[in-house]
Amino acid sequence: MSASSPAGRWSSATLASLLGVQVFQVVLAWSVLTVAGPLATAVVLALGTLPRIAMMSGLTAGLAGRFAAHRLLAVGELGRAALALAAAGALAVSGLDFTGLLLASLLFGLVEAGTEPAAGSVPALIADAAGRQRMEALRTTLFRVTVVVGGPLAGLGALLGLSTALIVGGLVFLVSAALFLSLRPRPSDADGTAPAAGHGPAAGMPGPPGADAPKAGEALALPGVRAALICTVLIELGCPGAFGVGTLLLADDRGWGAVGFGVLVGAVGLGTVLAALAPGFARRLRGSGSGLILACVLTAAAMAGLAFSPNLPLAAVLTVVMALAAAAASAATLGVLFSGPRPEALGMVMGVVMAAGALAAPLSYVLVGLVARLTNPRAAVAACAVALLAAALVALTDRTLRTATAPEPPTGPQAGPPADPAADADASTTDAPHAEAPADAPADATGEPSADGQPGHLSAKGA
């Protein structure tokens, strides 16, 4: 893949965009903390995540169908560049106040919500089926690289000054915009049909519920589902606040500075990448009640250790363990939710889970900031550990969830399709847990079609 080819330009634009996002977010968080303190920082970061709800609910998906995906992404990159350069200018001249930082966070989130649905459509515009698979696999790799190295690089850039770091980030966004604009859709196929460009429902997204779909109350009354949902909410109340706000406040409290915060951001990314690179472990864990309990306890222990870590290297190691265990806990709860409901109830259950996760994450930011203001950052991160222990307790006290077991992997020639190399691209995040059910087949506890085409089930020993 040459750098001058469409795929090469696309990969360069994607890498520049991801790095620019890391720089902007690290500098924004550190700037808010410097200007307004812990609680205000938590509020700004929480409000910045709210536009994602519009993206998750599909409200912004129509933009990807109305406009060419590569041009929409270029406009988004130009908007991000304008925000970064405007913030840099304000910092250099008079410094940003709380209102300006809040506005920047909201606008940045709105740009993400408006353009992210189009990101998956660009490979279909410029490549054939085989090329799209390679590009999606490459996008996964680029994402993993940037979540690991982007934070530390942003922290090092902040040593040159927050304004300078934002200027660099703005220039990176401009490069990304130019590369996206240089892309040209490939010619129509031989049969006269144009390549898919984001019109219609996205692959893997559930359609409208049928007439026989159960109500939310009926779906949540299924065995193990209510307890798994409570575990999901508790995990989402603990993890995002510890990752996004707790690490920031600890870095400031311990005197590690923006560089230390960037290192911890990279450690969070490394933990999620390690979780994504262990598919065998994840398949054995998903749908396992004992695995959920163990993962929650391990996450809580790592959080407690991070809260009282005496130095940055140990804090970074504990952060990696914390992110890895948290990803495992999310995988376990999603496995139970995938395997528990009957197929017609799955869409309703997952809709409730996504809504709960989307609302719990910003609330987690605010709670961590509030506890830190009333006490100290160590107590705030320790409170997140308590939420994870509460999730483990819920799983332990619910018989169906506690005794749930992951189904045995299928064997034989009908074991199902090979794994998609890019299937875990979106799994490398510690925001609201999410997963996609296959559009044409019921899912077992791994989120994949079962070997016999039948829906998976929640296996409860002795139930």
Side-chain angles (χ1 to χ4, degrees):
M1 182 186 298
S2 65
S4 59
S5 66
R9 295 196 301 273
W10 168 85
S11 62
S12 299
T14 301
L15 178 61
S17 177
L18 292 171
L19 287 175
V21 168
Q22 290 281 342
V23 171
F24 185 88
Q25 291 179 340
V26 168
V27 174
L28 175 70
W30 194 259
S31 299
V32 180
L33 180 61
T34 303
V35 169
L39 181 58
T41 301
V43 170
V44 169
L45 296 180
L47 292 178
T49 66
L50 291 182
R52 296 180 186 177
I53 298 177
M55 180 177 68
M56 294 172 60
S57 63
L59 295 178
T60 61
L63 293 175
R66 183 179 295 272
F67 304 102
H70 65 296
R71 292 177 181 171
L72 184 60
L73 288 177
V75 171
E77 295 303 288
L78 290 174
R80 287 171 167 171
L83 283 173
L85 294 176
L91 280 174
V93 175
S94 59
L96 281 175
D97 57 7
F98 173 75
T99 304
L101 291 167
L102 176 61
L103 182 61
S105 179
L106 281 172
L107 291 176
F108 201 83
L110 287 172
V111 170
E112 178 187 20
T115 59
E116 186 62 24
S121 303
V122 175
L125 285 174
I126 63 176
D128 55 16
R132 288 198 297 271
Q133 290 185 351
R134 290 192 297 269
M135 291 171 68
E136 289 299 335
L138 178 60
R139 186 170 186 258
T140 301
T141 302
L142 293 175
F143 177 80
R144 290 171 176 170
V145 169
T146 53
V147 297
V148 175
V149 305
L153 288 177
L156 290 174
L159 289 177
L160 303 175
L162 297 180
S163 296
T164 303
L166 284 172
I167 291 174
V168 172
L171 294 177
V172 169
F173 284 132
L174 289 176
V175 171
S176 177
L179 289 171
F180 278 129
L181 281 175
S182 70
L183 298 177
R184 294 291 180 270
R186 64 189 178 91
S188 300
D189 295 333
D191 58 1
T193 60
H199 297 279
M205 293 299 291
D212 58 345
K215 304 298 183 183
E218 298 173 357
L220 297 179
L222 296 172
V225 172
R226 189 185 301 274
L229 176 60
I230 295 174
C231 288
T232 298
V233 172
L234 289 171
I235 291 170
E236 284 301 313
L237 283 175
C239 291
F243 295 157
V245 180
T247 53
L248 172 65
L249 300 182
L250 285 175
D252 178 60
D253 183 62
R254 301 298 176 83
W256 298 333
V259 175
F261 174 51
V263 169
L264 295 182
V265 170
V268 171
L270 179 58
T272 57
V273 167
L274 291 177
L277 292 177
F281 168 74
R283 288 193 181 99
R284 286 192 294 271
L285 182 64
R286 289 177 183 172
S288 168
S290 58
L292 168 61
I293 296 170
L294 178 61
C296 287
V297 171
L298 181 58
T299 305
M303 282 182 181
L306 173 64
F308 299 96
S309 176
N311 55 66
L312 181 58
L314 178 59
V317 172
L318 290 171
T319 303
V320 172
V321 175
M322 178 176 67
L324 174 61
S330 293
T333 52
L334 286 175
V336 172
L337 290 167
F338 267 127
S339 61
R342 58 187 187 273
E344 62 270 22
L346 182 60
M348 178 66 70
V349 170
M350 293 311 298
V352 174
V353 170
M354 291 177 66
L359 295 174
L363 180 60
S364 174
Y365 287 169
V366 175
L367 290 177
V368 169
L370 181 61
V371 174
R373 181 179 181 181
L374 296 176
T375 56
N376 55 67
R378 296 186 300 277
V381 177
C384 295
V386 173
L388 269 294
L389 288 177
L393 182 62
V394 169
L396 186 63
T397 55
D398 185 274
R399 178 183 177 84
T400 304
L401 184 54
R402 180 181 70 249
T403 58
T405 57
E408 294 295 328
T411 57
Q414 309 238 343
D420 184 354
D424 60 353
D426 289 335
S428 301
T429 180
T430 55
D431 288 339
H434 58 284
E436 293 181 353
D440 55 352
D444 62 12
T446 65
E448 299 172 347
S450 57
D452 55 2
Q454 299 299 320
H457 60 281
L458 186 65
S459 173
K461 295 179 180 178

